[in-house]
Coordinates of all heavy atoms in Angstrom, one line a residue:
I133 N 107.2 -13.8 -5.1 CA 106.2 -14.2 -6.0 C 106.3 -13.3 -7.2 O 106.4 -12.1 -7.2 CB 104.8 -14.0 -5.4 CG1 104.6 -14.7 -4.0 CG2 103.7 -14.6 -6.5 CD1 103.3 -14.3 -3.3
D134 N 106.7 -14.1 -8.5 CA 106.6 -13.4 -9.6 C 105.3 -13.4 -10.3 O 104.4 -14.4 -10.2 CB 107.6 -14.0 -10.5 CG 107.9 -13.3 -11.9 OD1 107.7 -12.1 -11.8 OD2 108.3 -13.9 -12.8
T135 N 104.9 -12.2 -10.9 CA 103.5 -12.1 -11.5 C 103.6 -11.8 -13.0 O 104.5 -11.3 -13.5 CB 102.8 -10.9 -10.6 OG1 103.8 -9.8 -10.8 CG2 102.5 -11.3 -9.3
P136 N 102.3 -12.0 -13.6 CA 102.3 -11.7 -15.0 C 102.0 -10.2 -15.2 O 101.7 -9.5 -14.2 CB 100.9 -12.4 -15.4 CG 100.2 -12.5 -14.1 CD 101.1 -12.7 -13.0
P137 N 102.4 -9.7 -16.3 CA 102.0 -8.3 -16.6 C 100.6 -7.8 -16.8 O 100.3 -7.2 -17.7 CB 103.1 -7.9 -17.8 CG 103.0 -9.3 -18.5 CD 102.8 -10.4 -17.6
N138 N 99.8 -8.3 -15.9 CA 98.4 -8.0 -15.9 C 97.9 -7.9 -14.5 O 98.3 -8.7 -13.6 CB 97.6 -9.1 -16.7 CG 98.0 -9.3 -18.0 OD1 97.9 -8.4 -18.8 ND2 98.5 -10.5 -18.4
F139 N 96.8 -7.2 -14.4 CA 96.1 -7.2 -13.0 C 95.1 -8.2 -13.2 O 93.9 -7.8 -13.3 CB 95.6 -5.8 -12.7 CG 95.2 -5.6 -11.4 CD1 96.0 -5.9 -10.3 CD2 93.9 -5.1 -11.1 CE1 95.6 -5.7 -9.0 CE2 93.4 -4.9 -9.9 CZ 94.2 -5.2 -8.7
N140 N 95.5 -9.5 -13.1 CA 94.5 -10.5 -13.3 C 94.3 -11.5 -12.1 O 94.8 -11.1 -11.0 CB 94.9 -11.4 -14.6 CG 96.2 -12.2 -14.3 OD1 96.7 -12.2 -13.3 ND2 96.6 -12.8 -15.3
F141 N 93.6 -12.5 -12.2 CA 93.4 -13.4 -11.1 C 94.7 -13.8 -10.4 O 94.8 -13.7 -9.1 CB 92.7 -14.7 -11.5 CG 92.6 -15.8 -10.5 CD1 91.5 -15.8 -9.5 CD2 93.5 -16.7 -10.2 CE1 91.4 -16.6 -8.5 CE2 93.5 -17.7 -9.3 CZ 92.3 -17.5 -8.4
Y142 N 95.7 -14.0 -11.1 CA 96.9 -14.6 -10.4 C 97.7 -13.4 -9.7 O 98.2 -13.6 -8.6 CB 97.8 -15.2 -11.5 CG 97.2 -16.6 -12.0 CD1 96.8 -16.6 -13.3 CD2 97.0 -17.6 -11.1 CE1 96.2 -17.7 -13.9 CE2 96.3 -18.7 -11.6 CZ 95.9 -18.8 -13.0 OH 95.3 -20.0 -13.4
S143 N 97.8 -12.3 -10.4 CA 98.5 -11.2 -9.7 C 97.7 -10.7 -8.4 O 98.3 -10.4 -7.4 CB 98.8 -10.0 -10.6 OG 97.7 -9.6 -11.5
K144 N 96.3 -10.7 -8.5 CA 95.5 -10.3 -7.3 C 95.7 -11.4 -6.4 O 95.8 -11.1 -5.1 CB 94.1 -10.2 -7.9 CG 93.7 -9.1 -8.7 CD 92.1 -9.1 -8.9 CE 91.9 -8.1 -10.1 NZ 90.6 -8.4 -10.7
S145 N 95.8 -12.6 -6.6 CA 95.9 -13.7 -5.6 C 97.3 -13.5 -4.9 O 97.4 -13.7 -3.7 CB 96.0 -15.1 -6.3 OG 94.7 -15.4 -6.7
A146 N 98.3 -13.1 -5.7 CA 99.7 -12.8 -5.1 C 99.6 -11.7 -4.2 O 100.2 -11.6 -3.2 CB 100.6 -12.6 -6.2
L147 N 98.9 -10.5 -4.6 CA 98.9 -9.3 -3.8 C 98.2 -9.6 -2.5 O 98.4 -8.9 -1.4 CB 98.2 -8.2 -4.5 CG 99.1 -7.6 -5.7 CD1 98.4 -6.9 -6.8 CD2 100.2 -6.7 -5.2
I148 N 97.2 -10.5 -2.5 CA 96.4 -10.9 -1.3 C 97.2 -11.8 -0.4 O 97.1 -11.7 0.7 CB 95.1 -11.6 -1.8 CG1 94.1 -10.6 -2.4 CG2 94.4 -12.3 -0.6 CD1 93.0 -11.1 -3.1
A149 N 98.1 -12.7 -1.1 CA 98.9 -13.5 -0.2 C 100.2 -12.9 0.4 O 100.7 -13.5 1.4 CB 99.3 -14.7 -1.1
A150 N 100.6 -11.8 -0.1 CA 101.9 -11.2 0.3 C 101.8 -10.2 1.4 O 100.6 -9.7 1.8 CB 102.5 -10.4 -1.0
D151 N 102.9 -10.0 2.1 CA 103.1 -9.0 3.1 C 103.5 -7.7 2.4 O 103.0 -6.7 3.0 CB 104.1 -9.4 4.1 CG 103.8 -10.7 4.7 OD1 102.8 -10.8 5.3 OD2 104.8 -11.7 4.6
T152 N 104.3 -7.8 1.4 CA 104.7 -6.5 0.7 C 104.8 -6.6 -0.7 O 104.8 -7.8 -1.3 CB 106.1 -6.1 1.2 OG1 107.2 -6.9 0.7 CG2 106.4 -6.1 2.8
V153 N 104.8 -5.6 -1.4 CA 104.8 -5.6 -3.0 C 106.1 -4.6 -3.2 O 106.2 -3.5 -2.8 CB 103.6 -5.1 -3.6 CG1 102.9 -3.8 -3.1 CG2 103.7 -5.0 -5.1
L154 N 106.9 -5.1 -4.2 CA 107.9 -4.4 -4.8 C 107.5 -4.1 -6.3 O 107.0 -5.0 -6.9 CB 109.2 -5.2 -4.8 CG 109.9 -5.5 -3.6 CD1 111.2 -6.4 -3.9 CD2 110.5 -4.2 -3.0
V155 N 107.6 -2.8 -6.6 CA 107.2 -2.4 -8.0 C 108.4 -2.0 -8.8 O 109.0 -1.0 -8.6 CB 106.2 -1.2 -7.9 CG1 105.7 -0.8 -9.3 CG2 105.0 -1.5 -7.1
P156 N 108.8 -2.9 -9.7 CA 110.0 -2.4 -10.7 C 109.4 -1.3 -11.6 O 108.3 -1.4 -12.0 CB 110.1 -3.7 -11.5 CG 109.5 -4.8 -10.8 CD 108.4 -4.2 -10.1
F157 N 110.4 -0.4 -11.9 CA 110.0 0.7 -12.7 C 111.3 1.0 -13.7 O 112.4 0.9 -13.2 CB 110.0 2.0 -11.8 CG 109.6 3.2 -12.6 CD1 108.4 3.5 -12.8 CD2 110.7 4.1 -12.9 CE1 108.0 4.8 -13.5 CE2 110.4 5.3 -13.6 CZ 109.0 5.6 -13.8
D158 N 110.9 0.9 -14.9 CA 112.0 0.8 -16.0 C 112.4 2.2 -16.6 O 113.0 2.3 -17.7 CB 111.8 -0.2 -17.0 CG 110.6 0.2 -18.0 OD1 109.8 1.1 -17.6 OD2 110.4 -0.6 -18.9
C159 N 111.9 3.3 -16.0 CA 112.4 4.6 -16.4 C 112.1 5.1 -17.8 O 112.8 5.7 -18.3 CB 114.0 4.7 -16.2 SG 114.5 4.5 -14.6
D160 N 110.8 4.6 -18.3 CA 110.5 5.3 -19.5 C 109.1 6.1 -19.2 O 108.5 5.7 -18.2 CB 110.4 4.3 -20.8 CG 109.2 3.5 -20.8 OD1 108.2 3.8 -20.2 OD2 109.2 2.5 -21.6
S161 N 108.8 6.9 -20.1 CA 107.6 7.9 -19.8 C 106.4 7.2 -19.7 O 105.5 7.5 -18.9 CB 107.6 9.0 -20.7 OG 107.9 8.5 -22.0
F162 N 106.3 5.9 -20.4 CA 105.1 5.1 -20.3 C 105.1 4.4 -19.0 O 104.0 4.4 -18.4 CB 105.0 4.1 -21.5 CG 105.0 4.5 -22.8 CD1 106.0 4.3 -23.8 CD2 103.9 5.4 -23.3 CE1 105.9 4.9 -25.0 CE2 103.9 5.8 -24.5 CZ 104.8 5.6 -25.4
A163 N 106.1 4.1 -18.4 CA 106.1 3.4 -17.1 C 105.5 4.5 -16.1 O 104.9 4.1 -15.2 CB 107.5 3.1 -16.8
R164 N 105.8 5.7 -16.3 CA 105.4 6.7 -15.4 C 103.9 6.8 -15.4 O 103.2 6.9 -14.4 CB 106.0 8.1 -15.8 CG 105.6 9.3 -15.2 CD 106.5 9.6 -14.1 NE 106.4 10.9 -13.5 CZ 105.2 11.2 -12.9 NH1 104.4 10.4 -12.6 NH2 105.1 12.5 -12.4
Q165 N 103.3 6.8 -16.6 CA 101.9 6.9 -16.8 C 101.2 5.7 -16.1 O 100.2 5.8 -15.3 CB 101.4 6.9 -18.2 CG 101.7 8.3 -18.9 CD 101.1 9.4 -18.2 OE1 100.0 9.3 -17.6 NE2 101.9 10.4 -17.9
S166 N 101.8 4.5 -16.4 CA 101.1 3.3 -15.9 C 101.3 3.1 -14.4 O 100.6 2.4 -13.8 CB 101.7 2.1 -16.6 OG 103.0 1.7 -16.2
L167 N 102.1 3.9 -13.8 CA 102.5 3.7 -12.4 C 101.2 4.3 -11.6 O 100.8 3.8 -10.6 CB 103.6 4.6 -11.9 CG 104.2 4.1 -10.5 CD1 104.7 2.8 -10.6 CD2 105.4 5.2 -10.3
Y168 N 100.5 5.3 -12.1 CA 99.3 5.8 -11.5 C 98.3 4.8 -11.3 O 97.6 4.5 -10.2 CB 98.7 7.0 -12.2 CG 99.5 8.3 -12.1 CD1 100.1 8.9 -13.2 CD2 99.8 8.9 -10.9 CE1 100.9 10.1 -13.1 CE2 100.6 9.9 -10.6 CZ 101.2 10.5 -11.7 OH 101.8 11.7 -11.6
S169 N 97.9 4.1 -12.5 CA 96.8 3.1 -12.5 C 97.2 1.9 -11.6 O 96.5 1.3 -10.9 CB 96.4 2.8 -13.9 OG 97.5 2.2 -14.5
L170 N 98.6 1.6 -11.7 CA 99.1 0.6 -10.9 C 98.8 0.8 -9.4 O 98.3 -0.1 -8.6 CB 100.5 0.4 -11.1 CG 101.3 -0.5 -10.3 CD1 100.9 -2.0 -10.5 CD2 102.9 -0.5 -10.6
M171 N 99.2 1.9 -9.0 CA 99.0 2.4 -7.6 C 97.6 2.3 -7.2 O 97.1 2.0 -6.0 CB 99.7 3.7 -7.2 CG 101.2 3.6 -7.3 SD 101.9 2.1 -6.5 CE 103.2 2.7 -5.6
D172 N 96.7 2.8 -8.1 CA 95.2 2.8 -7.8 C 94.8 1.4 -7.6 O 94.1 1.1 -6.7 CB 94.5 3.4 -8.9 CG 94.4 4.9 -8.9 OD1 94.9 5.5 -7.9 OD2 94.0 5.6 -9.9
N173 N 95.2 0.4 -8.5 CA 94.8 -1.0 -8.3 C 95.3 -1.5 -7.0 O 94.5 -2.2 -6.4 CB 95.4 -1.8 -9.5 CG 94.7 -1.6 -10.8 OD1 93.6 -1.1 -10.8 ND2 95.4 -1.8 -11.9
I174 N 96.6 -1.3 -6.7 CA 97.0 -1.7 -5.4 C 96.2 -1.2 -4.1 O 95.9 -1.9 -3.3 CB 98.6 -1.5 -5.2 CG1 99.4 -2.2 -6.2 CG2 99.0 -1.7 -3.8 CD1 100.9 -2.0 -6.2
A175 N 96.0 0.2 -4.2 CA 95.2 0.7 -3.2 C 93.7 0.0 -3.1 O 93.4 -0.1 -1.9 CB 95.1 2.2 -3.5

Side-chain angles (χ1 to χ4, degrees):
I133 312 174
D134 188 20
T135 51
N138 298 301
F139 192 54
N140 67 5
F141 172 84
Y142 295 114
S143 46
K144 284 180 202 164
S145 292
L147 289 160
I148 289 170
D151 302 308
T152 72
V153 53
L154 290 174
V155 179
F157 180 83
D158 68 352
C159 298
D160 80 18
S161 41
F162 295 119
R164 176 88 165 73
Q165 286 309 312
S166 66
L167 201 60
Y168 288 120
S169 59
L170 171 68
M171 290 319 226
D172 278 352
N173 284 339
I174 290 178

